[in-house]
Amino acid sequence: MKSKVDSQQEESNTDNDFSEMSDTQVRRRGPPPKKIVSKNKLPNLERNVPIIIKNNNFVVRTIWTIVMILGFMAVLWAGHIYIIGLVLLINIGIFKEILGLKRNYEKELNVKYSPIINWYFFGIATFFCYGKLFQSKLSEYAFRMHMLSFILNYHNIITFMLWVAGFLMFTLSLKKGYYRYQFRMFGWTHITLILVVAQSSVMIMNIFEGIVWFILPCSLVITNDIFAYIFGVTFGKTPLIELSPKKTWEGFIGGGFSTLIASFCFAYLLQGSQYLTCPQHQLPFSPFSSLTCEIPSVFISTQRQLPFSIFGIDSIYFSDFQIHAMVFSLFTSLVSPFGGFFASGFKRGIKIKDFGDTIPGHGGITDRMDCQILTGMFSYLYLHQIVLPKAVTLGTVLGYVSQLSTNEQQELFEQLKQTLQIGQ
């Protein structure tokens, strides 16, 4: 029988034989036998690596969550124009991340102008959307700036001709052997612009009608996400949708009821601030400036009779804004989560975990905004179709006046002067 020392020496010689053999000899003979190490005998450090990584990710995620909240609050109090800048930066980040999913950097070495053309189309889309939204706000400046007046009056045709210039640049940049890639990026770019820039830009109109119309929908989406997670972790047993295996019916329903209650309370707290509720009809660039106005009636609480008595209470005080907030909560609870499900299905389809790594611990900007974009569009339509009265503003009138000729403007001035003199 072999002694233990002889066996160890033979095992050592075998390992040395493998190290001295060529690759061909190793393939013929086979690799050296693997030494099986019991999981329980692994060093403590190796067994704890997943836990250490998970804890580090949690710390990084928490730190950046606090940073984002503080940054958002600072921009919020800086003023309307700075919130618009934040929305534009978010648009740029989302466009960059989604565009990067289809980019082939090796092919772009031979198709040099492809990225430039894609970003050119982004600029045109931003010019069109933001220009349409700012027309009424910039009308009073148009009388003093002839170039601005020209741009506002012919905004649509200017946008189209700029797009045509991009179309010509794209056609001239087509290169043999790369046609499929170039046309795929052309279509991908335009679809992204429609889904992202066009929808998220309407949030700006909500901001000008009162910052509260921007804060409330964003807060309700975050609230629903938090409470859906809490109820899902605590009571979740029934899977909700195959696209997101961790989502449960218990979390979906619990998050919905919690958001409904939170919306009524949030609205009560927010409606008392003039800075948040007053509409902004100008473009002030000075940060942290105050804003005062006569609070719109939608934010004023009135006594409402209950259909039946509850513990001897026949009436309560609440505002129309609190009712509208509850409508928003229904949308953010029942529909907005499907924006996240859509994004999850998309990521599974192209086999990625996150859209990017822009925000440490959170993934990409798109991962955080997938529900917000859909909610922003609903908020804009609901606000302008149902909440706000159909009224003609000074900015709208000035926009039409700027399109008149000099003689017509002079005639309008004389008629207004006569009307005011008769009224006095």
Side-chain angles (χ1 to χ4, degrees), residues 61-319:
R61 186 183 181 93
T62 303
I63 292 173
W64 276 93
T65 299
I66 296 172
V67 170
M68 287 190 293
I69 292 174
L70 295 177
F72 178 75
M73 294 297 295
V75 172
L76 195 67
W77 292 109
H80 297 69
I81 197 70
Y82 298 95
I83 301 175
I84 294 169
L86 175 64
V87 174
L88 179 59
L89 288 176
I90 291 173
N91 282 345
I92 293 173
I94 294 175
F95 182 75
K96 177 179 178 295
E97 289 176 355
I98 296 180
L99 202 66
L101 298 177
K102 290 293 183 180
R103 288 185 64 181
N104 188 316
Y105 294 93
E106 293 183 2
K107 290 183 178 180
E108 287 182 359
L109 293 175
N110 297 314
V111 189
K112 297 181 180 179
Y113 298 106
S114 180
I116 298 175
I117 294 172
N118 294 333
W119 281 101
Y120 175 82
F121 282 123
F122 174 83
I124 299 305
T126 303
F127 172 77
F128 176 72
C129 294
Y130 282 50
K132 296 293 287 185
L133 297 174
F134 285 155
Q135 272 184 331
S136 60
K137 310 298 178 187
L138 296 173
S139 297
E140 60 181 281
Y141 301 101
F143 289 101
R144 300 189 296 268
M145 302 172 62
H146 296 291
M147 179 60 69
L148 180 60
S149 177
F150 176 81
I151 293 174
L152 292 179
N153 291 336
Y154 301 99
H155 175 257
N156 291 342
I157 187 65
I158 291 173
T159 303
F160 177 73
M161 295 310 298
L162 290 172
W163 183 89
V164 168
F167 175 77
L168 295 177
M169 286 190 292
F170 169 77
T171 305
L172 293 173
S173 69
L174 291 173
K175 190 172 182 180
K176 187 176 180 180
Y178 299 92
Y179 295 151
R180 174 175 290 187
Y181 173 73
Q182 288 179 282
F183 277 104
R184 184 169 67 242
M185 291 304 298
F186 181 84
W188 186 253
T189 298
H190 282 72
I191 291 175
T192 304
L193 293 176
I194 294 172
L195 293 178
V196 177
V197 178
Q199 290 198 60
S200 60
S201 61
V202 299
M203 294 181 184
I204 296 171
M205 290 304 295
N206 296 350
I207 295 169
F208 280 112
E209 298 300 339
I211 297 178
V212 70
W213 298 108
F214 174 76
I215 296 176
L216 182 66
C218 295
S219 301
L220 293 179
V221 170
I222 297 171
T223 301
N224 181 259
D225 193 32
I226 292 173
F227 280 99
Y229 173 78
I230 293 173
F231 277 88
V233 170
T234 307
F235 306 105
K237 293 182 180 179
T238 312
L240 174 63
I241 188 169
E242 187 177 352
L243 289 172
S244 295
K246 295 182 180 180
K247 304 294 183 181
T248 62
W249 276 105
E250 291 80 3
F252 185 76
I253 296 172
F257 277 109
S258 300
T259 307
L260 185 66
I261 298 171
S263 66
F264 193 83
C265 300
F266 284 169
Y268 175 77
L269 296 174
L270 296 173
Q271 67 185 7
S273 171
Q274 288 190 349
Y275 176 77
L276 299 178
T277 57
C278 289
Q280 177 60 269
H281 301 295
Q282 298 177 339
L283 287 175
F285 288 92
S286 56
F288 306 104
S289 57
S290 61
L291 183 63
T292 58
C293 69
E294 183 179 351
I295 297 180
S297 59
V298 70
F299 300 108
I300 299 175
S301 298
T302 56
Q303 187 176 12
R304 315 292 179 98
Q305 293 293 329
L306 296 176
F308 51 87
S309 177
I310 303 177
F311 300 108
I313 300 175
D314 298 324
S315 63
I316 58 174
Y317 283 86
F318 60 90
S319 65

